[in-house]
Amino acid sequence: LSSAGQFDGSGSTLILLGEYLDPASRQVRKTRSVYRIVSPELHIFEMYELLGRREDLKTLEIVYNRR
C-alpha cells in the first residue's frame, strides 16, 4: 500500500489517496484514507475502497480514544 496526501485547511483532517495490488484479483485498487483529529482525546481513522461508484466502500474504521 502506498499513499500520499495532505491536511485540509483546518489542519485537523488528513486525506490520503493511495493504491495497492490486490493479491486475489492481481489488479491495482485505489483507496482513500481519512485521519480526523476530533479532539486531543479522540482521533478517527477511516479507509475507503474507491470502486468508481457513486459512494466509496468503507473498509475500515479505527477510533482512538484516550482514557
Side-chain angles (χ1 to χ4, degrees):
L1 176 64
S2 174
S3 298
Q6 57 188 346
F7 278 95
D8 67 352
S10 70
S12 63
T13 302
L14 175 63
I15 300 173
L16 301 162
L17 297 176
E19 57 185 32
Y20 70 96
L21 181 62
D22 182 0
S25 67
R26 298 185 185 250
Q27 295 179 341
V28 174
R29 303 279 184 172
K30 295 185 183 221
T31 63
R32 177 172 53 92
S33 301
V34 181
Y35 184 78
R36 294 184 290 136
I37 302 170
V38 179
S39 71
E41 290 78 30
L42 179 63
H43 296 199
I44 299 173
F45 178 76
E46 300 166 316
M47 190 174 237
Y48 299 87
E49 187 91 18
L50 305 180
L51 302 174
R53 294 187 274 189
R54 188 171 191 176
E55 289 188 33
D56 302 333
L57 175 66
K58 184 188 272 189
T59 57
L60 176 74
E61 179 178 271
I62 302 173
V63 177
Y64 301 95
N65 194 359
R66 184 180 297 174
R67 294 180 182 202

